[in-house]
Amino acid sequence: MNPLTRRSALAGLGALTATAVAGTAPAFATPSGIGPVLDLSHATPQLARQVTALFRDKTSRNVARTMSHFARRPMYYTDATLGWYLPTWGSLKAIFDQYMPTWPATARSYATRVLGDERSAIVEFTDSPELFGHEGRVIAALDFTDGLVVRQVDYSDGRHFGIAATNAARVPDAQFPRTFGEDVIPDRSSPALRDVARRLTAALASGDTAGLFTVDATFEDLTLHSTFVGALAIDAYVKRAFRRLPYGPGTTIRHTVGSARGGGYEWINPATPADHGVVALELDSARKISRLTTVWDGSRLSDDAMTVLLSDTLER
């Protein structure tokens, strides 16, 4: 299969199987017996309606209805792991036209968490192995205009999808896009979210995250399959690991999405082979981080380099 069409179909086809949301968004919405619980606790009601409608139509394999959720112009879609860049509505529609009718009935693609508002958001979703042969765990950054997607960037770990499969589909480094549409689509995130992202980026670069997290916060790195619970454990981990983290020293913010309650930022770090990724954030009323989730492409690093990073997760 042509890697462009194969992976372009993979990335961005995350389907939220929750029923449509009306009125106010509940803390959690239960998918109709198909997938796990969808967490909407940090999403506005309008965002919940936009996202559930978009991925409901993807789940139903209706190309026309699915594409009705994307803006005609501008519209940018990128798979940030493989470097596939689709800068038009028509190029994305061509992928859906080819592959959506072939999805097996047992395939599932569903969201597990949505953060932000109707202007921009983070959506975490899962592709089951039936869809493309390997499981995909994705964190997507989305921008909207008038309820339509104008920019979507999907981030995932190539090791989780499979190193061989990822390498076979990834574009050569010389052809990898240097921008993902953020140079065209203005930042729609809230000032409060941008402030937290800036302070967090600086803290991760210096190894000092004291005061940024709530007492019972969770810090999870999906690529390292590691989770820390509690501000003390998080601060200690960052202090011993920050020099080696891809999102540590040298990191700059590519783009932010979300509201004062939650969202995230896409980051760039040319000092490491895993030179880009995304951080999803949940915030409390005092703008402290109650949950951080990050993913980046571990297939860019050797087994030895990953082992060093994993050694930092050991508490002593």
Side-chain angles (χ1 to χ4, degrees):
M1 182 184 298
N2 182 288
L4 169 60
T5 54
R6 177 187 185 280
R7 182 55 182 179
S8 296
L10 166 65
L13 299 187
L16 304 185
T17 51
T19 56
V21 178
T24 59
F28 298 93
T30 304
S32 305
I34 300 174
V37 168
L38 167 59
D39 182 355
L40 295 171
S41 61
H42 290 71
T44 62
Q46 181 60 33
L47 173 64
R49 287 190 286 269
Q50 289 173 191
V51 171
T52 53
L54 165 61
F55 293 119
R56 175 203 62 214
D57 291 339
K58 287 185 179 179
T59 301
S60 70
R61 294 175 281 192
N62 187 310
V63 175
R65 286 206 329 236
T66 298
M67 291 308 302
S68 72
H69 299 286
F70 291 86
R72 292 277 181 158
R73 187 180 296 111
M75 206 292 292
Y76 294 86
Y77 166 77
T78 308
D79 182 308
T81 301
L82 295 190
W84 295 121
Y85 185 57
L86 302 177
T88 66
W89 183 92
S91 58
L92 181 60
K93 181 179 183 297
I95 301 304
F96 285 119
D97 280 334
Q98 183 172 358
Y99 288 102
M100 192 175 283
T102 72
W103 294 351
T106 56
R108 296 185 304 158
S109 187
Y110 52 88
T112 53
R113 192 158 61 122
V114 182
L115 310 171
D117 60 25
E118 54 272 20
R119 296 170 299 177
S120 61
I122 288 286
V123 176
E124 298 182 22
F125 68 86
T126 301
D127 284 334
S128 68
E130 298 97 318
L131 224 64
F132 301 102
H134 301 265
E135 182 183 66
R137 299 273 174 176
V138 180
I139 300 181
L142 286 83
D143 287 278
F144 301 89
T145 296
D146 298 327
L148 302 178
V149 178
V150 292
R151 178 179 181 270
Q152 179 173 336
V153 184
D154 291 349
Y155 292 86
S156 60
D157 174 22
R159 282 179 172 265
H160 187 79
F161 187 71
I163 294 177
T166 298
N167 287 340
R170 183 188 284 125
V171 303
D173 287 346
Q175 299 174 22
F176 213 93
R178 301 307 174 197
T179 61
F180 297 161
E182 73 278 3
D183 54 328
V184 178
I185 304 302
D187 196 313
R188 292 175 169 82
S189 63
S190 77
L193 189 282
R194 292 198 297 272
D195 178 65
V196 172
R198 284 192 295 265
R199 289 189 287 118
L200 175 62
T201 301
L204 291 171
S206 68
D208 183 5
T209 54
L212 288 181
F213 291 87
T214 63
V215 171
D216 297 313
T218 297
F219 182 114
E220 55 184 344
D221 187 316
L222 297 182
T223 303
L224 294 179
H225 302 283
S226 299
T227 302
F228 295 89
V229 178
L232 293 178
I234 293 168
D235 293 344
Y237 168 64
V238 171
K239 185 172 294 186
R240 64 178 177 267
F242 78 99
R243 291 182 180 87
R244 290 171 289 276
L245 290 175
Y247 42 92
T251 299
T252 58
I253 295 174
R254 179 193 293 272
H255 191 70
T256 57
V257 293
S259 69
R261 298 180 60 200
Y265 66 95
E266 301 163 70
W267 53 264
I268 304 169
N269 189 350
T272 172
D275 62 0
H276 59 278
V278 67
V279 170
L281 300 171
E282 292 183 3
L283 307 178
D284 72 359
S285 59
R287 305 298 182 257
K288 286 195 172 186
I289 302 167
S290 56
R291 181 173 176 178
L292 179 156
T293 306
T294 187
V295 72
W296 44 277
D297 185 9
S299 71
R300 292 282 192 175
L301 272 62
S302 68
D303 287 0
D304 288 344
M306 292 293 291
T307 299
V308 171
L309 286 170
L310 287 168
S311 70
D312 288 327
T313 67
L314 298 176
E315 295 181 304
R316 297 176 176 85

